[in-house]
Amino acid sequence: MRLPHVVDLGSVTINPNSKRIAVAVIERGRQVLIGQRPEGVPLAGYWEFPGGKVEPDETYEAAVVRECLEETGFEVEIVDEFTPVEHTYQHDVVAIRFFRCRVRNGDAAGEPHGAFQWVDRASLLDYQFPDANAALIKELVD
């Protein structure tokens, strides 16, 4: 029996009361773009990929493109999708969809806006990411 208003994303069932988050894994060769969360927000000091909250009536796909442009200055296109995750933190329950993306506008060798930087994917284990990213990080490093 399926629950009403529950979205099935393959092997992960997402509760509609979860905060919807769209995340971009922007790749440049063996490098990915990451940034450190600022002080004063949940999970401050942790590292993250560009992305953020999906607005009401917005798709995950539209949100990831919008968030990337706002946060990094890069216009991206979605190439693929990783396995979605629902995770419970002390501050919230989040439903995250992770998208593999590439830069569309100009030279991908350019520097991003804000606190983001290019790092080699092999070094991702050296950074502290939120727990919801664990499976993604493992997949990217392997």
Side-chain angles (χ1 to χ4, degrees):
M1 179 172 124
R2 294 191 76 122
L3 299 173
H5 309 294
V6 173
V7 178
D8 184 1
L9 297 173
S11 62
V12 177
T13 301
I14 304 296
N15 184 311
N17 297 321
S18 300
K19 181 183 284 183
R20 299 183 313 143
I21 305 292
V23 172
V25 178
I26 305 174
E27 297 176 314
R28 180 177 76 177
R30 292 282 306 156
Q31 295 183 315
V32 292
L33 195 63
I34 64 171
Q36 194 167 27
R37 294 181 61 78
E39 293 300 319
V41 300
L43 304 172
Y46 282 72
W47 291 83
E48 66 180 354
F49 298 98
K53 189 174 110 185
V54 179
E55 298 295 335
D57 299 324
E58 184 178 40
T59 65
Y60 280 90
E61 293 84 356
V64 81
V65 170
R66 174 184 53 76
E67 287 283 349
C68 284
L69 188 58
E70 290 173 3
E71 292 181 356
T72 70
F74 288 144
E75 183 180 338
V76 298
E77 63 183 348
I78 297 169
V79 176
D80 198 2
E81 184 171 359
F82 296 93
T83 303
V85 171
E86 184 170 66
H87 189 82
T88 302
Y89 290 105
Q90 287 184 334
H91 65 277
D92 218 339
V93 178
V94 294
I96 307 175
R97 288 180 63 188
F98 300 98
F99 297 94
R100 182 184 310 268
C101 298
R102 66 176 163 232
V103 176
R104 290 182 65 181
N105 60 330
D107 186 1
E111 292 305 311
H113 298 166
F116 288 91
Q117 62 190 29
W118 295 106
V119 300
D120 190 278
R121 53 170 75 200
S123 71
L124 288 174
L125 295 175
D126 298 334
Y127 298 87
Q128 185 175 19
F129 282 84
D131 291 343
N133 290 251
L136 173 67
I137 298 298
K138 183 177 180 340
E139 183 174 346
L140 290 171
V141 171
D142 286 349

